[in-house]
């Protein structure tokens, strides 16, 4: 990968290295294989482990409860009834104020048209993951070559946390928008990059990191007009953040409610939460482990800590190849640091999925020895099955 190191510092590969043929074929194959696998596993577990309809939104079929529970219910609640009003409960009890408006707006649009909001958001999330794979393929082909792009796409499609891109969640949409923004920036289209980054920002708090990635890529481009390009790349996301904050201030009385509401999920303020919340979480886990009083949440705790370790390993490989100055390294580091900075391991497997450049060192590892591919794919399928089972067992 000696020739790839140069491009990862922000300088695109020469146009002659781009291979357009079959650019859609491998992403489509990888997407179809992974989504069929996940949907089949969800239906099987949904039938074998029937869940109570209590707490499940009426738009979600019981058979798809593993893919329509959890945060999907919060998004649907916002779409149906709007954001909660703060009566002094924010941060003390779980409220829908903790969620950003992008996906609820999509669901509300479906309701307005008389469509099933779960079905629409479920379909859009999965289609968005297809675009994420196509975007990753185009980006990787632009920076390197088609063969390496094929490998990276399969890595992302079968990466176990990609399970969450099959749910009616923000992951598939945010990932597609972030990759699209990065691709637009690499191809020197700052306006499109900025608009896509703004879309990612409206999906979830970590979506704003797409705008930072865009800004760094555009700032490293040679030539005049650098300030203008960066401004075009980050302004839409800034407008999105400020607009949402102003709306919260005017309609709910405080611009910071979405961040204060995170405390109900044992998350503290970014950076300070690392000191105020993480030690307590570690002590709680250690106490439960010592007393052998394992709750049903332990499987997800082990999953999230395990994937955090894997993400850190991949990040280390990315840094060793391309150095700290790479925009892809900075972006991946921030994706992992943001939730950890709030002082919690919760959902690290899912939240780390946004760090798509980590698929490159994984693809490189597989490329070095093709005998690794089959066992790696087998392990990935097993972990995906375990993830679906976790969702089914703990669904309402």
């Amino acid at each position: 990968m000696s020739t790839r190191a140069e491009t990862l510092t922000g300088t695109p590969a020469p146009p002659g290295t781009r291979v357009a043929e079959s650019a859609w074929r491998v992403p489509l194959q990888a997407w179809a294989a992974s989504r069929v696998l996940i949907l089949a596993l969800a239906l099987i577990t949904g039938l074998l482990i029937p869940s109570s309809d209590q707490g499940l939104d009426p738009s979600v079929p019981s058979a798809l409860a593993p893919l329509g529970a959890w945060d999907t219910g919060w998004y649907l609640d916002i779409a149906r009834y709007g954001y909660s009003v703060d009566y002094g409960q924010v941060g003390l009890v779980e409220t829908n104020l903790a969620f950003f408006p992008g996906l609820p707006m999509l669901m509300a649009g479906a309701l307005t048209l008389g469509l099933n909001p779960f079905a629409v958001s479920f379909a859009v999330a999965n289609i968005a993951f297809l675009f994420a794979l196509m975007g990753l393929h185009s980006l990787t082909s632009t920076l390197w070559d088609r063969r390496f792009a094929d490998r990276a796409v399969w890595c992302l499609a079968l990466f176990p946390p990609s399970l969450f891109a099959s749910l009616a969640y923000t992951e598939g949409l945010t990932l597609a928008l972030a990759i699209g923004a990065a691709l637009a920036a690499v191809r020197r289209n700052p306006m499109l990059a900025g608009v896509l980054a703004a879309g990612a920002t409206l999906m979830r708090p970590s979506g704003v990191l797409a705008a930072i990635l865009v800004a760094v890529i555009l700032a490293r481009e040679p030539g005049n007009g650098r300030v203008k390009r960066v401004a075009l790349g980050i302004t839409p996301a800034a407008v999105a953040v400020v607009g949402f904050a102003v709306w919260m201030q005017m309609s709910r009385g405080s611009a910071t409610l979405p961040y204060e509401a995170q405390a109900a999920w044992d998350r503290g303020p970014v950076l300070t939460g690392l000191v105020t919340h993480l030690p307590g979480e570690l002590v709680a886990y250690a106490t439960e482990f010592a007393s052998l009083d394992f709750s049903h949440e332990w499987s997800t705790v082990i999953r999230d800590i395990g994937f955090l370790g894997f993400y850190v390993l991949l990040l280390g490989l990315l840094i060793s190849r391309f150095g700290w100055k790479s925009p892809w390294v900075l972006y991946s580091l921030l994706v992992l640091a943001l939730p950890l900075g709030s002082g919690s391991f919760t959902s690290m497997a899912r939240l780390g999925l946004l760090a798509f450049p980590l698929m490159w060192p994984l693809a490189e590892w597989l490329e070095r020895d093709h005998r690794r591919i089959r066992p790696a794919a087998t392990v990935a399928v097993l972990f995906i099955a375990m993830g679906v089972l976790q969702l089914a067992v703990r669904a309402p």
Side-chain angles (χ1 to χ4, degrees):
M1 280 184 67
S2 59
T3 59
R4 294 171 191 151
E6 181 181 356
T7 59
L8 270 186
T9 63
T11 303
T17 64
R18 302 180 185 178
V19 181
E21 59 268 23
S22 303
W24 56 270
R25 189 175 302 151
V26 170
L28 182 59
Q29 291 171 344
W31 174 82
S34 62
R35 299 311 96 179
V36 168
L37 170 67
I38 291 169
L39 184 59
L41 289 171
L43 289 172
I44 292 171
T45 53
L47 292 173
L48 295 178
I49 310 174
S51 61
S52 170
D53 289 338
Q54 184 177 1
L56 198 65
D57 189 89
S59 66
V60 181
S62 296
L64 290 178
L67 303 181
W70 301 100
D71 289 354
T72 299
W74 290 111
Y75 293 121
L76 286 167
D77 183 66
I78 297 170
R80 292 185 187 280
Y81 311 111
Y83 280 102
S84 301
V85 176
D86 178 23
Y87 294 107
Q89 85 281 20
V90 172
L92 302 176
V93 298
E94 295 177 352
T95 69
N96 64 23
L97 289 164
F99 299 89
F100 272 35
L103 186 56
M105 290 169 62
L106 172 66
M107 293 173 167
L111 285 168
T112 301
L113 296 174
L115 303 174
N116 183 308
F118 165 74
V120 170
S121 55
F122 177 75
V124 170
N126 278 273
I127 292 172
F129 187 65
L130 172 59
F131 280 101
L133 294 175
M134 294 176 68
L136 180 63
H137 194 278
S138 295
L139 178 61
T140 310
S141 297
T142 298
L143 297 174
W144 300 294
D145 55 67
R146 184 183 61 82
R147 182 175 178 179
F148 189 67
D150 292 347
R151 188 84 68 211
V153 162
W154 274 106
C155 286
L156 179 58
L158 291 179
F159 194 57
S162 71
L163 158 67
F164 295 100
S166 272
L167 279 66
Y169 268 31
T170 61
E171 270 59 38
L173 287 156
T174 309
L175 185 62
L177 290 164
I179 293 175
L183 179 60
V186 167
R187 292 183 173 177
R188 298 177 176 86
N189 189 338
M191 179 62 74
L192 178 59
V195 170
L196 293 174
T201 300
L202 287 174
M203 287 294 159
R204 57 179 311 103
S206 55
V208 73
L209 299 179
I212 295 177
L213 174 59
V214 165
V216 174
I217 293 173
L218 294 175
R220 295 171 66 88
E221 288 186 5
N224 298 325
R226 184 176 302 171
V227 173
K228 180 181 178 180
R229 290 195 300 269
V230 172
L232 288 173
I234 64 175
T235 298
V239 171
V241 170
V242 172
F244 183 47
V246 169
W247 184 89
M248 272 289 174
Q249 179 68 47
M250 296 179 64
S251 65
R252 296 298 183 266
S254 174
T256 60
L257 285 178
Y259 305 97
E260 296 171 16
Q262 297 290 330
W265 280 267
D266 296 323
R267 294 190 182 277
V270 177
L271 297 181
T272 59
L274 194 64
V275 177
T276 61
H277 284 67
L278 188 59
E281 185 169 291
L282 291 173
V283 169
Y285 291 156
T287 302
E288 288 186 27
F289 185 82
S291 65
L292 301 180
D293 182 22
F294 302 135
S295 69
H296 62 286
E297 296 182 357
W298 257 92
S299 63
T300 57
V301 171
I302 293 172
R303 177 200 67 195
D304 289 326
I305 293 178
F307 271 102
L308 173 61
F310 191 50
Y311 286 136
V312 171
L313 173 62
L314 293 176
L315 179 62
L317 292 174
L318 197 68
I319 293 171
S320 68
R321 294 293 187 274
F322 314 116
W324 289 96
K325 294 182 179 181
S326 165
W328 314 108
V329 168
L330 174 63
Y331 170 75
S332 300
L333 178 63
L334 290 176
V335 168
L336 300 181
L338 185 62
L340 278 180
S342 67
S344 178
F345 291 112
T346 304
S347 300
M348 277 304 305
R350 173 169 61 89
L351 300 177
L353 180 64
L354 196 58
F356 63 88
L358 297 182
M359 295 301 102
W360 293 330
L362 181 58
E364 181 192 31
W365 180 78
L366 292 173
E367 193 177 60
R368 287 177 182 172
D369 188 346
H370 290 182
R371 291 174 298 179
R372 297 170 175 171
I373 295 175
R374 182 170 295 180
T378 302
V379 171
V381 170
L382 290 174
F383 270 95
I384 290 173
M386 291 171 58
V388 174
L389 182 61
Q390 286 177 329
L391 292 173
V393 169
R394 298 186 60 200

